Amino acid sequence: MSRDLYRLALAVLHPGFEGTSAPDWLRRALGEGLGGVVLFARNAIGAPLVKELRAENPGVVVAIDEEGGTVTRLEVGEGSSFPGNRALGVVDDAGLTERVGRQIGRMLAELDITLDYAPSADVNANPANPVIGVRSFGPDPDLVARHTAAFVRGVQGAGVAACAKHFPGHGDTVTDSHLALPTVHASREELIARDLPPFRAAIEAGVQSVMTGHLLVPALDADAPATLSRAALTELLRGELGFDGMVVTDAIEMRAVAAMASPGEIAVRALNAGADAICIGVVDEDGLREIGDTVVAAVRDGLLPEERLAEAAGRVRALSDWYAARPADREAARADVDPGVGLAAARAALTVTGTARLDRAPLVVEVNTRLSQAVDPDTPTGITAALAALLPGTTKIRMDRDAPLPDLGGRPVVLVVHDAARHAWVRDVVDAAVAARPDAIVVDTGVPGPPTGAAHVATHGISRASAQAAAERLTR
């Protein structure tokens, strides 16, 4: 096997790993030319870890999902300092969104992270969407385009590459692509008018990367999901939209594509379609080598043109070079600390119906709905902690589906729900609780439904900032 060809194959692979330090196999792969690494909360991310990675390959593309709001890797334990896209869309101040993007970029610049897999440029056109929801700036294409561009300017102004996702748009789906293959039932005209404007705006703003969605879009390709579709990635994204940056796949172990073929075969098909970087969220040494060997074999067998592989590796290097050329931007961003911007955005995003004030410690009933697999399972909703900080003695009960309604007598009651409009059982629990306690306060941290309770507070996102804003509003 040609070492040069294997090095090209490694250059387009961007794996995650287990543990809080770089395992030996990852160090070896970086030394052999591995092009990227994806960090997750499980890695206990810090500057020393990134330094470990760069010691083996200074140009490695270090990537992370740091959207703000529900999807955070750096602040998963306490919740994000930023309220997330939906809240920013509700405020609809593009300057504020750019400030938030810059502060997220500043956090990543402090750690020497190359690429932020953000923002979500999806237009949340379907209220039943189980995986996008508050990760989208909203349901209106123009609004989403405006804020996508602002977020990109903010992150990249801090010298960190941004990534618009999930092309060509995950907003009009009712299936989570972590679990199965969603289908977008829209005409080409609808896609152009509704789903593509945010990606056009991101490209015009100079976004360095676009992430593919594991989505079947029959109007583009009836046979292959966008990640594996030349019609979507080469003809539409490259040809019609004119994007020449790095195209990265969503994680290929997600069931939407993993059910179709082996990881190596998925990588080859994605490269042939026009992807440049293959994101692999979960893999070990044997798995990575198998994928690399499959890519090499595909070139040898004439199934993947070597020129296409070299082009993909070149785009990964180009993104690394873009980052390397901007130390001054990162230095300026490190000095540009804007500590209040997240809380200011969260406060401005609150939507409050009714009037109620807590003057003593409440019982908080968290009516749990399962968050999507894009959200780290340790991410807290934060409302209880925020209220407890202001009203010591606040206690919490967590309710799962089919659990009996607890005794709500005596103290003030706060019901915390997420996306109640999407879950009939959650609405039933809330209705029963409000019937028992008409003075109950309802806090919805997701895309809210019709207001209910003595007071209804919509935070439009899960974050530490949103929780603090809601707690302040309820106690002042």
Side-chain angles (χ1 to χ4, degrees):
M1 178 191 299
S2 163
R3 298 311 300 171
D4 289 343
L5 189 53
Y6 188 68
R7 193 173 187 87
L8 274 183
L10 281 180
V12 303
L13 303 184
H14 293 197
F17 63 95
E18 299 289 345
T20 57
S21 62
D24 290 343
W25 66 265
L26 185 63
R27 291 172 180 268
R28 286 193 296 271
L30 285 165
E32 294 173 346
L34 184 68
V37 174
V38 186
L39 300 180
F40 293 89
R42 64 179 184 254
N43 302 128
I45 303 157
L49 174 59
V50 178
K51 191 174 180 179
E52 272 188 85
L53 301 172
R54 294 204 183 278
E56 305 296 337
N57 178 357
V60 62
V61 172
V62 182
I64 191 172
D65 279 290
E66 192 62 39
E67 299 177 13
T70 58
V71 178
T72 176
R73 306 300 186 224
L74 297 179
E75 298 185 288
V76 68
E78 63 274 21
S80 177
S81 302
F82 310 99
N85 285 1
R86 175 79 179 205
L88 293 170
V90 168
V91 179
D92 195 14
D93 178 343
L96 182 62
T97 296
E98 186 168 346
R99 286 172 61 197
V100 167
R102 181 170 177 80
Q103 289 306 299
I104 290 176
R106 183 186 64 78
M107 290 169 60
L108 303 186
E110 290 274 10
L111 299 173
D112 200 14
I113 290 173
T114 318
L115 173 63
D116 188 9
Y117 288 152
S120 167
D122 306 296
V123 177
N124 198 57
N126 193 327
N129 195 314
V131 68
I132 301 301
V134 293
R135 299 169 65 198
S136 165
F137 290 110
D140 177 73
D142 291 338
L143 179 143
V144 176
R146 201 161 51 243
H147 290 274
T148 294
F151 193 98
V152 168
R153 290 194 300 269
V155 171
Q156 294 194 168
V160 173
C163 178
K165 62 187 184 185
H166 307 80
F167 185 82
H170 206 322
D172 187 15
T173 61
V174 294
T175 302
D176 183 343
S177 52
H178 294 83
L179 306 176
L181 178 63
T183 299
V184 177
H185 299 286
S187 67
R188 187 179 179 90
E189 291 72 27
E190 285 177 291
L191 290 169
I192 290 170
R194 181 192 66 195
D195 296 294
L196 295 187
F199 292 98
R200 290 186 186 276
I203 293 166
E204 290 171 5
V207 73
Q208 291 297 301
S209 181
V210 169
M211 178 178 282
T212 70
H214 299 326
L215 312 160
L216 188 65
V217 188
L220 299 177
D221 190 326
D223 301 316
T227 296
L228 310 179
S229 170
R230 183 173 177 81
L233 302 188
T234 298
E235 295 172 16
L236 179 58
L237 180 56
R238 297 285 190 210
E240 294 184 39
L241 272 61
F243 180 64
D244 195 39
M246 188 186 82
V247 175
V248 60
T249 70
D250 209 341
I252 63 169
E253 75 277 4
M254 292 166 63
R255 291 181 202 167
V257 294
M260 296 180 173
S262 71
E265 291 166 339
I266 293 295
V268 169
R269 290 176 62 182
L271 290 164
N272 265 322
D276 304 305
I278 309 300
C279 174
I280 317 158
V282 180
V283 73
D284 59 15
E285 180 175 15
D286 291 341
L288 184 68
R289 188 161 295 277
E290 182 180 344
I291 295 170
D293 288 346
T294 303
V295 172
V296 169
V299 175
R300 295 257 188 240
D301 295 341
L303 301 175
L304 173 65
E306 186 172 349
E307 296 78 11
R308 170 78 272 271
L309 180 60
E311 178 186 55
R315 287 209 179 95
V316 174
R317 282 194 304 273
L319 188 143
S320 176
D321 291 345
W322 180 94
Y323 179 83
R326 284 161 175 76
D329 289 344
R330 291 189 290 280
E331 192 60 35
R334 290 186 193 105
D336 185 18
V337 181
D338 192 357
V341 67
L343 183 56
R347 286 169 174 158
L350 288 181
T351 304
V352 182
T353 305
T355 56
R357 181 179 179 276
L358 294 169
D359 57 4
R360 56 195 175 103
L363 169 65
V364 179
V365 182
E366 293 190 351
V367 186
N368 289 331
T369 57
R370 192 182 187 288
L371 300 176
S372 82
Q373 292 195 13
V375 181
D376 191 286
D378 293 330
T379 303
T381 58
I383 302 295
T384 304
L387 285 171
L390 297 174
L391 297 172
T394 295
T395 57
K396 175 179 73 174
I397 295 173
R398 301 185 70 175
M399 279 190 67
D400 291 314
R401 190 169 188 159
D402 300 325
L405 191 69
D407 180 8
L408 302 179
R411 58 198 301 188
V413 172
V414 177
L415 301 165
V416 179
V417 300
H418 185 77
D419 283 356
R422 287 200 303 113
H423 300 278
W425 74 270
V426 174
R427 295 195 301 276
D428 289 345
V429 169
V430 171
D431 289 346
V434 170
R437 287 290 302 269
D439 61 338
I441 296 167
V442 179
V443 179
D444 195 328
T445 61
V447 177
T452 187
H456 184 275
V457 179
T459 65
H460 306 283
I462 292 175
S463 70
R464 176 162 42 96
S466 300
Q468 183 177 338
E472 289 174 350
R473 178 65 70 90
L474 291 174
T475 56
R476 72 184 186 195

